[in-house]
Amino acid sequence: ARAILHAERHAYAARRPLNLFVTIKFPSVSRSGDKPYDIFRKKFWANTKRRWDTMVKGARKHSPFDAIAVFENPATFSTRKRRHYGPLHVHWMIRWPFKKCERLNYFLRRQFQREFFVAQPGSIRMGRVRYGPRAAAYLAKGIDPPYAEHFKIDHEPQGPIAHRRIIISQS
């Protein structure tokens, strides 16, 4: 949680605020058989970073790719009051020009269809980040309850994750 909150503060202080909030819900089966974490990291994250680098070309050292991603697998209850986990999804805060968000949405949906057959209407959602610290606190909501109280975050258990829960860009 400290890393998420620090990364958001650093991006804001460097005058590079994270301004786009993307949520991707993963189906249980992919075409390649890879896990959603690997697909997200190798396909979605890497391709978006590559698009960013192409977009900023000569100013790459002054304008690095800034992003934070958090995986969640919250507990849900079925109609029979049985507890199960899912769907696995990722919340992703990135810095992206608003004029180019439609194009990014197109590329993310196309990548989703390549990996998971069909992109349902709610499988990828994009929204504007209006207040960065609150959005970062929302990303960090799955931390342990004592730490959530320390950082003044509303804690909600986010279920088991079999890989790294948080990915933060090096910039």
Side-chain angles (χ1 to χ4, degrees):
R2 185 175 63 217
I4 292 172
L5 299 173
H6 177 71
E8 190 280 326
R9 276 190 307 244
H10 177 71
Y12 184 78
R15 295 185 182 197
R16 300 185 321 237
L18 304 173
N19 60 353
L20 187 65
F21 196 89
V22 180
T23 300
I24 302 173
K25 287 185 183 177
F26 296 107
S28 56
V29 179
S30 69
R31 285 186 183 190
S32 62
D34 291 341
K35 297 190 184 306
Y37 174 77
D38 295 328
I39 291 171
F40 175 76
R41 199 171 42 85
K42 293 176 185 173
K43 303 291 183 172
F44 289 96
W45 182 285
N47 288 345
T48 304
K49 183 184 181 321
R50 198 172 304 114
R51 289 190 194 291
W52 176 265
D53 290 343
T54 304
M55 191 169 51
V56 296
K57 289 184 185 159
R60 202 176 305 171
K61 75 175 190 180
H62 301 294
S63 186
F65 179 68
D66 299 327
I68 301 171
V70 176
F71 281 85
E72 295 180 351
N73 192 21
T76 56
F77 295 94
S78 65
T79 56
R80 297 180 186 185
K81 302 292 183 193
R82 288 189 307 178
R83 181 178 175 178
H84 65 280
Y85 292 95
L88 179 69
H89 60 277
V90 64
H91 294 303
W92 190 17
M93 270 177 60
I94 61 176
R95 178 170 58 108
W96 202 263
F98 288 122
K99 293 178 182 177
K100 299 186 180 190
C101 285
E102 284 299 318
R103 193 76 177 146
L104 176 65
N105 191 12
Y106 168 76
F107 286 122
L108 291 176
R109 286 190 176 284
R110 189 174 73 178
Q111 188 66 44
F112 192 90
Q113 287 176 346
R114 285 182 185 161
E115 299 298 327
F116 298 106
F117 306 104
V118 176
Q120 300 294 333
S123 57
I124 297 177
R125 291 181 305 196
M126 296 176 77
R128 187 178 198 165
V129 174
R130 303 219 182 266
Y131 184 61
R134 189 66 206 149
Y138 178 76
L139 290 178
K141 71 182 181 270
I143 65 170
D144 293 334
Y147 296 109
E149 187 178 316
H150 172 73
F151 289 116
K152 296 176 179 43
I153 296 172
D154 298 330
H155 170 71
E156 293 178 33
Q158 293 305 309
I161 299 289
H163 46 75
R164 291 183 60 194
R165 185 178 293 270
I166 300 168
I167 304 172
I168 298 174
S169 63
Q170 292 180 356
S171 62

